[in-house]
Amino acid sequence: MSASPLLNVSNLSKYFGGVKAVNAFSFKLMEGELLGFIGPNGSGKTTVVNLITGFVKPSGGEVTYRGQNITGWAPYKIVRLGIARTFQMVRPFYQLPAFKNMIIPLYSPRVKGMAGGKYGDRDAIALDLLEEVGFERDSFVAYKIASVLPQGYLKRLELAKGIALQPDLLILDELFSGLSLAEVASIVPIIEKLRYGGMTIIMIEHRLKELFRIADRVIVLNFGEKIADGLSKEVMESDEVKKAYLGSEED
Amino acid sequence: MKKRKERIDRGIKVRSEDIFALCSWREMLYLSSPRLLPIVGLFVLSFVLSLYWQKVLLSVSVIALLAISWDLLAQSGMVSLGQALFFGMGAYLAAIMNHYWGWSPFLTIPMATIFGGLFCTVLLLPVLRLRGIYFAMVTLILPIMLVRVIEATRIFGGTEGISGLTPLPSRWFELYIIIVALLAAFFGFRRLMGSDFGLVLKGINDNDRSVMNAGINIYWFKAQALFIAGSAGAFAGAFMTHVYMFVGMPVFALDYSILPIAAAIVGGAGTFAGAMFGAFLLVPLSEILRGLGGLRIVFYGLFLVVFIVALPEGIFHYIQRKYNQFERWVEVEK
């Protein structure tokens, strides 16, 4: 492969006072890859995502997207370049109906630009997108106020809001957490479909079994540092990863 | 035997939300009467009221304008305690243009509206990042600060203020210009919040990081909302300056900040109709209570407490529910 990486993160660091949340973290992401981030709780996975998407300013290091340095940019500018994310703690607009939640990403300048300066019928596009992620069209669930929706639908809504932005790189922050096995099984094909459509995806997950089935590559973090990077199966064989997850015997 | 209250939407409400509303007079009336009520009501009031109450209607309309401008900000996630900033800014700008440059009120009022909104937006730009109580505190401090600046530097007449400004042509003109402005702002704001632009503002109120995450610059949207609300407030100030033919430090007084908020809360926050309704209730009430002398504030406060405890959702939400729904008692168990 000759292509330069889509996303290049080098020596990214974030310190909260004396705590090194992320320390000299580097990785490269190729176009079309599905990368998994795993690691114990508090290992800095979400902070890495926050650093890439601009929600947190890094203490050091560099993030380059398609050769452009985007370190410390405002989140909305990064989204306009084509990096969309979902939140681990869902962030819907609770006062609005589910399909009206979709209007706000669809109103984004990025979507307008990609549609050639026209928005089109946003309500219809919103309902189509929601159907894609599993809001059944023949039920009224897409018209319900977000505050009454169960967690499963809120996660799907979060995913739909990400897809609505037509990103090149989609970052899913623990999309599967809090979902039942059946719900996860129904969302996996949606992600695979996006990936075969050419989208590059980063997934943060604790559901290792489901992640290993779809991920090309996995990066393991512990205490803000990368401890392993490689194919799913190989990574779990590594002693350091076992130690991070299960604890070492000397302690 | 236990009973519970059941609420059912009037069928007519569902039917009248579409083109089918045009099928019958009854449905058209159901839909249009709440919208026609403020328009017809205001014009009828302007005819039947005595000179004294016409003056009251004038200040009611000004407070109503400030209240809906407060509500617009509140719906966009900016709780302001400083409507007096908008009011005072418009008032002083109009006075300066009229007194020092000799412009006619027909020029000063529109100019003060636009530039008042603009100056307020620029003043508050640095604090747009703040949310909730922090934003509120800054808006509270700014008008108090401006008063001290005027007092200390003695600019624009200092503590004396500027008097002898050009009045508006007639009292009828005064009355109708504020009524038309109030109705235009009221229906305009309602339409604005119903549009996708308004949806983004509501989204910012609900969850601003999520809006940011949609590739939308929330500060640009907040600044636009601030400009619109600021302009409405500045118009009220510029208008009152020419009515009183005087401008002084009281235009930055706390009354112009607190009364609109009280009106919006009592009337029902989150709806412009509620904010307007609240102003039409509170300001005349304070006039009626004038006869009580010193005890006026006590009774006024008591009234506010009673209303907020009895109807925390606001009067308008209560009326709206009664209008749109049937209520009946149904048995739940024997």
Side-chain angles (χ1 to χ4, degrees):
Chain A
M1 255 166 67
S2 62
S4 57
L6 182 72
L7 187 76
N8 190 0
V9 172
S10 59
N11 283 320
L12 199 62
S13 305
K14 179 69 195 178
Y15 310 134
F16 294 109
V19 182
K20 292 178 175 174
V22 176
N23 193 15
F25 181 67
S26 310
F27 73 95
K28 284 187 171 66
L29 184 67
M30 292 298 165
E31 190 132 23
E33 230 180 339
L34 202 163
L35 175 69
F37 273 180
I38 60 172
N41 288 326
S43 58
K45 306 182 294 291
T46 299
T47 308
V48 169
V49 174
N50 282 339
L51 290 170
I52 295 171
T53 52
F55 280 92
V56 173
K57 300 268 175 279
S59 313
E62 219 176 66
V63 181
T64 330
Y65 177 75
R66 291 193 197 281
Q68 194 171 10
N69 188 348
I70 58 165
T71 323
W73 281 27
Y76 71 92
K77 284 186 184 158
I78 292 175
V79 173
R80 285 179 195 177
L81 284 182
I83 303 179
R85 71 170 291 188
T86 67
F87 289 98
Q88 179 183 359
M89 296 296 171
V90 286
R91 290 178 175 272
F93 306 111
Y94 283 109
Q95 309 162 2
L96 302 176
F99 82 105
K100 285 284 179 195
N101 264 268
M102 300 292 298
I103 303 296
I104 290 168
L106 288 174
Y107 192 77
S108 154
R110 172 173 173 83
V111 178
K112 187 181 178 184
M114 295 193 72
K118 290 195 195 91
Y119 284 118
D121 184 353
R122 273 190 286 258
D123 282 1
I125 298 169
L127 289 171
D128 284 347
L129 280 167
L130 284 176
E131 192 183 20
E132 228 171 90
V133 298
F135 281 67
E136 300 84 357
R137 190 173 281 255
D138 47 356
S139 73
F140 290 109
V141 68
Y143 298 96
K144 282 194 173 152
I145 304 285
S147 57
V148 305
L149 289 177
Q151 182 72 5
Y153 277 108
L154 291 177
K155 286 275 183 180
R156 286 160 197 265
L157 182 62
E158 195 74 24
L159 176 63
K161 283 196 322 200
I163 300 172
L165 292 163
Q166 305 177 40
D168 299 323
L169 170 60
L170 181 62
I171 305 177
L172 305 171
D173 193 351
E174 294 201 26
L175 186 68
F176 294 158
S177 66
L179 297 187
S180 70
L181 279 176
E183 282 172 321
V184 171
S186 70
I187 293 182
V188 167
I190 300 168
I191 293 168
E192 286 184 316
K193 194 178 149 197
L194 288 175
R195 190 196 160 186
Y196 291 124
M199 205 180 278
T200 314
I201 298 173
I202 296 178
M203 287 182 81
I204 295 183
E205 261 325 315
H206 277 304
R207 295 278 186 94
L208 301 183
K209 207 170 144 195
E210 285 85 359
L211 179 70
F212 287 161
R213 245 190 13 232
I214 52 176
D216 299 317
R217 191 157 70 99
V218 173
I219 291 178
V220 190
L221 278 117
N222 198 19
F223 296 116
E225 289 183 35
K226 183 159 86 172
I227 57 171
D229 182 351
L231 297 176
S232 314
K233 296 277 154 48
E234 292 168 12
V235 159
M236 282 322 271
E237 300 296 312
S238 138
D239 281 343
E240 253 193 295
V241 175
K242 278 184 187 158
K243 222 190 280 174
Y245 265 90
L246 305 170
S248 60
E249 279 174 25
E250 292 93 294
D251 287 343
Chain B
M1 196 166 66
K2 268 190 169 174
K3 283 187 170 183
R4 81 181 167 84
K5 208 183 230 175
E6 188 182 50
R7 293 194 179 123
I8 307 167
D9 271 7
R10 286 179 198 273
I12 197 169
K13 182 194 168 205
V14 179
R15 290 205 300 279
S16 57
E17 272 177 354
D18 213 324
I19 186 80
F20 305 110
L22 298 178
C23 289
S24 88
W25 283 109
R26 198 174 154 222
E27 273 152 53
M28 281 158 74
L29 203 66
Y30 179 86
L31 205 62
S32 60
S33 52
R35 288 159 176 82
L36 285 173
L37 190 73
I39 303 175
V40 176
L42 275 174
F43 283 102
V44 169
L45 271 182
S46 70
F47 278 115
V48 298
L49 291 178
S50 65
L51 188 63
Y52 172 73
W53 284 100
Q54 275 184 350
K55 289 278 176 210
V56 175
L57 182 62
L58 223 68
S59 53
V60 168
S61 305
V62 164
I63 295 297
L65 202 55
L66 288 173
I68 61 174
S69 116
W70 179 85
D71 212 68
L72 181 78
L73 284 184
Q75 287 188 38
S76 328
M78 291 178 277
V79 177
S80 142
L81 289 176
Q83 296 308 103
L85 173 66
F86 307 154
F87 187 85
M89 189 66 87
Y92 262 98
L93 281 178
I96 290 162
M97 289 175 196
N98 185 253
H99 182 77
Y100 294 106
W101 305 338
W103 294 4
S104 100
F106 295 101
L107 196 59
T108 62
I109 292 179
M111 290 301 266
T113 303
I114 293 169
F115 283 96
L118 211 59
F119 287 168
C120 293
T121 312
V122 170
L123 269 180
L124 289 171
L125 268 185
V127 294
L128 273 190
R129 279 166 198 282
L130 304 182
R131 271 180 293 185
I133 191 76
Y134 305 103
F135 180 82
M137 271 163 60
V138 174
T139 56
L140 180 66
I141 292 163
L142 275 177
I144 298 172
M145 243 167 61
L146 287 181
V147 168
R148 296 292 162 231
V149 167
I150 290 169
E151 194 183 351
T153 59
R154 307 218 177 113
I155 44 166
F156 312 134
T159 46
E160 306 279 302
I162 306 170
S163 46
L165 299 171
T166 318
L168 289 163
S170 75
R171 71 187 165 90
W172 291 106
F173 188 82
E174 285 172 1
L175 205 51
Y176 286 122
I177 201 170
I178 191 73
I179 287 176
V180 169
L182 176 62
L183 289 173
F186 172 61
F187 287 106
F189 284 6
R190 271 173 60 106
R191 176 151 292 206
L192 183 78
M193 289 314 277
S195 70
D196 286 351
F197 178 86
L199 208 62
V200 173
L201 293 182
K202 283 181 193 162
I204 291 173
N205 181 25
D206 212 331
N207 201 325
D208 56 352
R209 295 197 119 203
S210 205
V211 178
M212 236 188 266
N213 196 37
I216 290 169
N217 184 357
I218 61 167
Y219 305 115
W220 170 235
F221 275 78
K222 274 182 161 182
Q224 288 180 75
L226 203 55
F227 173 72
I228 296 167
S231 293
F235 173 85
F239 170 80
M240 275 322 241
T241 295
H242 284 290
V243 171
Y244 290 148
M245 298 183 281
F246 163 79
V247 73
M249 295 191 316
V251 292
F252 285 115
L254 208 55
D255 303 28
Y256 290 111
S257 299
I258 299 302
L259 205 52
I261 301 176
I265 300 290
V266 168
T271 54
F272 297 116
M276 210 161 118
F277 187 81
F280 276 80
L281 199 73
L282 290 189
V283 181
L285 183 80
S286 123
E287 287 301 319
I288 292 167
L289 293 178
R290 230 171 248 284
L292 295 171
L295 284 177
R296 181 171 82 113
I297 292 298
V298 176
F299 278 95
Y300 194 66
L302 216 60
F303 176 85
L304 281 183
V305 170
V306 166
F307 253 100
I308 288 169
V309 170
L311 284 173
E313 50 178 350
I315 302 165
F316 182 74
H317 287 288
Y318 179 79
I319 297 173
Q320 198 179 26
R321 204 174 61 227
K322 293 284 170 201
Y323 190 70
N324 286 331
Q325 292 179 324
F326 289 112
E327 278 177 357
R328 64 176 183 196
W329 291 96
V330 290
E331 289 176 21
V332 283
E333 58 187 62
K334 286 266 155 65

